[in-house]
Amino acid sequence: MMGNEVIFIVSVIALIFYLVISKFLKNSIKDNYFRIFIGLIISIMFGIIFYVFSVAGLIYFLTKEKSRDFDKKDWILLNEDIEKRFHRYEMIDDLIDSRVLIDKDSIQVKELLGKPNYKNTNENVWTYEAGTGGGFGFVDHFLEIYYKKNKVQKIKHKRIQD
């Protein structure tokens, strides 16, 4: 069921479409009642379609995870500033896609990313905290680096939804 707010919003949108459409239909449809009927049908359909696409676009915009190119200086500086560190996650996907860490050893990784926040020596996994954000609620982001034979084999963007 639609709420009263949705019906009101769709009605206002449909009214605006009707005012525009009726101008165009005046020249092509001479029968006044038929022109009003067709104008109402078209404007209601356009109103509903416009509302659905607007809501879908808003949801997409609000939940889309930001991304940007990896920048070593920003990654390291973001580590020093707790407020800015919340935006590290924006660079993780570029790190993964560029494959810049693959086959690097731990010393090269430290030069590029700094010290990891967590080291799991049993499974040879390093974890970097990458901040919180990207969607409704809180999503904690982590960069996980998996080593095999002292070389990076896999990189993962881990998301933990609150």
Side-chain angles (χ1 to χ4, degrees):
M1 277 313 239
M2 285 194 286
N4 290 335
E5 305 87 14
V6 173
I7 293 171
F8 177 75
I9 292 169
V10 170
S11 298
V12 170
I13 294 169
L15 177 64
I16 293 168
F17 276 118
Y18 178 77
L19 294 174
V20 172
I21 291 169
S22 66
K23 299 275 187 202
F24 291 108
L25 293 178
K26 220 174 218 182
N27 297 332
S28 59
I29 300 176
K30 300 300 178 200
D31 183 3
N32 199 30
Y33 292 115
F34 188 63
R35 184 175 63 240
I36 291 170
F37 176 73
I38 294 296
L40 285 172
I41 297 297
I42 293 172
S43 62
I44 289 170
M45 286 183 351
F46 279 174
I48 291 170
I49 292 169
F50 184 81
Y51 177 79
V52 168
F53 277 103
S54 297
V55 169
L58 182 64
I59 290 171
Y60 174 77
F61 176 76
L62 291 175
T63 60
K64 183 178 181 320
E65 198 171 274
K66 294 179 185 175
S67 68
R68 60 185 167 130
D69 292 342
F70 174 77
D71 184 305
K72 176 184 174 182
K73 186 182 99 187
D74 283 347
W75 184 275
I76 300 296
L77 287 176
L78 294 177
N79 192 30
E80 295 171 3
D81 185 345
I82 192 69
E83 283 300 313
K84 290 182 179 177
R85 188 168 68 185
F86 289 134
H87 299 284
R88 265 180 155 181
Y89 71 89
E90 297 172 1
M91 295 185 267
I92 291 178
D93 291 333
D94 184 57
L95 258 177
I96 293 170
D97 293 342
S98 69
R99 300 181 52 84
V100 72
L101 295 175
I102 298 297
D103 291 327
K104 298 259 192 273
D105 63 30
S106 60
I107 294 170
Q108 293 170 312
V109 171
K110 278 185 190 176
E111 286 174 5
L112 193 60
L113 302 177
K115 291 181 181 178
N117 298 97
Y118 311 103
K119 287 183 185 179
N120 182 336
T121 53
N122 294 335
E123 296 180 27
N124 292 326
V125 178
W126 286 11
T127 303
Y128 290 85
E129 292 178 351
T132 302
F136 287 127
F138 292 101
V139 180
D140 294 321
H141 298 267
F142 299 91
L143 172 65
E144 292 186 333
I145 301 173
Y146 296 83
Y147 289 90
K148 188 173 185 180
K149 296 181 184 175
N150 296 323
K151 299 283 185 178
V152 175
Q153 291 299 307
K154 185 169 80 170
I155 309 158
K156 198 169 159 186
H157 186 170
K158 186 176 182 181
R159 295 166 179 89
I160 300 174
Q161 187 115 16
D162 189 14

